Amino acid sequence: MSDISTTPAIATRFEHRFNHEIDALNQGKLYDPFAFLGPHQVSEDEYELKVFIPGAQQVFYQDKNQQLRYQRIGTSDLFVLSLTTKQYNADYQLTIAYPFATLVEQDPYKFSSTLDANAVYLFNEGTLEQAQRHLGAHWTITNNVEGVRFTVWAPNAASVSLIGNFNHWNTTRHPMRKHPGAGIWEIFIADIADSEHDNNYKFSIITENGERLEKADPFASSMQLPPQTASCVPTKARSAVWQQSPAQAWAQRAERNATNAPISIYEVHAGSWKRDENNHFLSYQAMSEQLVPYVKELGFTHIQLMPISEFPFDGSWGYQPVGLFAPTSRFGSLTDFQFFVDACHEANIGLLIDWVPGHFPADAHGLAQFDGSHLFEHADKRQGFHPDWKTHIFNYDRAEVRSFLISNALAWFDNFAIDGLRVDAVASMLYLDYSRKEGEWIPNKYGGRENLGAIELLKQVNQRCYKNHPGIMMVAEESTAWPGVTNFTDQGGLGFGYKWNMGWMNDSLEYMSCDPLYRQHHHHEMTFSLAYAFSENFILPLSHDEVVHGKGSLLEKMPGDDWQKFANLRAYYGFMWAHPGKKLLFMGCEFAQRAEWNHNQSLDWHLLAQSEHQGVQALIKALNNSYCHQTALFELDTDHQGFDWIDASNAEQSVFSFLRYNKAKDEHVVVVSNMTPACQSNYRIGVPSLGDYDVLVNTDDTQFGGSGFATQTSYIAEYVEWQGFTQSICIALPPLSTVYLVPKTNSSALKNKQV
């Protein structure tokens, strides 16, 4: 193998020729590095090869037949080599001699672009569904060489360089190629180890004003553990296309998420459900071993995780994300998170993720002012800045932002096969004047307050998620009377599968916080929800929002002494589990945590040493069990035919009684709630049929911490007309309680199902 170098005369000729490019390279500002660096045929008989390698002492061109030394240009870090066409071999490598090491690397500037032109077109059009497979960091093979392609959208940047620990975070080592029409920058790096922890990177961006920004990758699938802020190159295994679960798993998902299925959701903040003895977070694997069995034991059908897209500040609870495609590394790796998802599904528990497309924080490494311009956020502060949360609002009218958000929603299903997304703060997206005073917002093109871009985005997200992943559930946290949130988009709706019933939550908690003596004056607060209960596919939420910021715990919202607080809460849960709509309960509420939720510590599990807290937990288990096995309590949650009042107007005694029916109308449940401490020894209620009625649930039962006032386990309906029925029963109605009664035939069937 020969060792031939270019002559000093050639180097001198190059030195004067490349002064401008050398200055630009030194500053990381060379606009089109691929037009300058790498191999270029300059004549019919000659190739000119250039590399810019800060810190190198010598650089050699090497192929299977020869080794040729590049000539340093002056004192710069630019090295040049001239070859005849006969000498040039496109499969060459670089041997780089540094002061303390010699490395063999591929020349990144010899590789052509591998971007998919059609995908780029769709991205710029706002319709690309899997943008994360084209932008970000991905293992690929180019010209028979394996490496990682890095791609970023930064159309207004003057230049972009890739930085990472593989190039010692040198901002001048790897300037990227720009695709001017798309605003996308790209580079292929071959010499990267396949490691889950060691390959961290960012994009060094020079703005049009000359400012240097260092940004994490918006499409990164994983990021460093905060407070570190770099993105992580995925391993080859994670970069591969995710393989779908067996058909059986998809069928289970469709069954457990359907509107005629029992859905009881346990909302979890992963950082504070439980911590170890050193107050450290549980890992995804530990949650698989502890949280999943706990949820299964209590009979919940779903877990909903508060946002786990990577976020910098623990106190935001995940609602200010910077890495929308990256499950937070606080609890482990991507593989660990997939293990948790699989553990949920093996237990036939659905998994929902809280998704935040409404806003993002101003952290320097995040999306804000990404390329020095208002790229992801709306430029007009009246549309692009959220006054309550001091965050930026996405520019939903921008096509690439739509591709970004549509792709992100789909990625949770594509990559992890979760069951659904709960979309945060939908109302803040729908209304241009949300939380704004007059003069702080601008109307849409028709003069209205509706955010047309956000509306279209939500429709597109829902349409595409349901089309690509049938059987999922898309859930809107929407607090206004916006019509048709859960209607199909072709019928003028937003296309969600479910909507949180915030009206029910506010009214019912207002009622329950009243002293029972005055509840008769607030009776309508518990009945009004039935006027609209079937206008949407509702979920009844008692979420984290109700137990923070000075609101107190659910237990402490209840009036009276300690016994009455627990009795009120049990009666309320009984009413909720029988009310039309799917259920959602925040962690800790299932055992009546006394203190407000604190994200910095574990739940107060020690309370379960006390019988009254054990009783509430036992009641939740019983309610879930009855709910999941009694079809009348869930089959017609979204249909008025599944509900009838027996007596909605007994305000004087603060008693509510109603019926729930299944679809075939061959099963029904009688529900009676007494919201005062007064006992009713012979309370008569009308019922649909004769025969024996068994007590299915009595929230005052001693096993739940109740008084045990009513010990009778069954009642006989008799021919006494009452409340519009030809037959009725007299029951012992305990104080502050909810009682479920079912015909004995239904009760026997339920026991068989439970066995």
Side-chain angles (χ1 to χ4, degrees), residues 38-99:
H40 296 276
Q41 188 167 4
V42 294
S43 72
E44 184 178 346
D45 299 319
E46 183 183 5
Y47 273 86
E48 189 174 274
L49 291 79
K50 297 184 287 292
V51 295
F52 185 81
I53 306 178
Q57 290 181 320
Q58 288 184 316
V59 181
F60 295 89
Y61 165 103
Q62 184 171 317
D63 61 28
K64 61 183 179 181
N65 297 317
Q66 57 190 340
Q67 185 180 68
L68 308 173
R69 184 162 60 88
Y70 283 74
Q71 185 68 44
R72 182 190 296 273
I73 304 304
T75 58
S76 75
D77 292 313
L78 179 66
F79 297 81
V80 181
L81 176 65
S82 288
L83 297 178
T84 66
T85 54
K86 186 176 180 179
Q87 287 177 301
Y88 176 70
N89 183 339
D91 293 331
Y92 73 90
Q93 291 181 296
L94 301 175
T95 298
I96 306 170
Y98 293 100

Side-chain angles (χ1 to χ4, degrees), residues 475-512:
V475 182
E477 186 218 6
E478 205 286 305
S479 55
T480 74
W482 186 279
V485 171
T486 58
N487 283 0
F488 293 119
T489 55
D490 59 5
Q491 297 174 4
L494 293 180
F496 283 95
Y498 295 93
K499 171 182 173 175
W500 277 19
N501 193 335
M502 310 293 280
W504 171 86
M505 180 272 296
N506 285 314
D507 288 348
S508 62
L509 283 178
E510 184 72 22
Y511 176 88
M512 293 305 299

Side-chain angles (χ1 to χ4, degrees), residues 135-150:
L135 288 95
H138 297 280
W139 286 91
T140 186
I141 295 176
T142 302
N143 296 349
N144 297 316
V145 176
E146 187 176 45
V148 179
R149 186 189 67 206
F150 296 87

Side-chain angles (χ1 to χ4, degrees), residues 196 221-223 225 268-271 273-274 281-293 303 305-311 326-344 351 353 412 416:
E196 192 157 13
S221 59
S222 62
M223 296 181 69
L225 181 67
V268 174
H269 177 258
W273 177 72
K274 190 179 286 186
F281 299 137
L282 293 187
S283 67
Y284 290 122
Q285 294 215 20
M287 284 187 274
S288 303
E289 297 162 1
Q290 298 180 45
L291 173 61
V292 173
I303 293 170
L305 292 181
M306 290 168 66
I308 59 165
S309 294
E310 194 60 82
F311 56 100
T328 179
S329 56
R330 285 169 174 80
F331 315 118
S333 67
L334 288 172
T335 303
D336 296 332
F337 177 67
Q338 184 68 67
F339 184 87
F340 174 72
V341 177
D342 292 342
C344 290
L351 180 63
I353 301 295
W412 289 100
F416 302 109

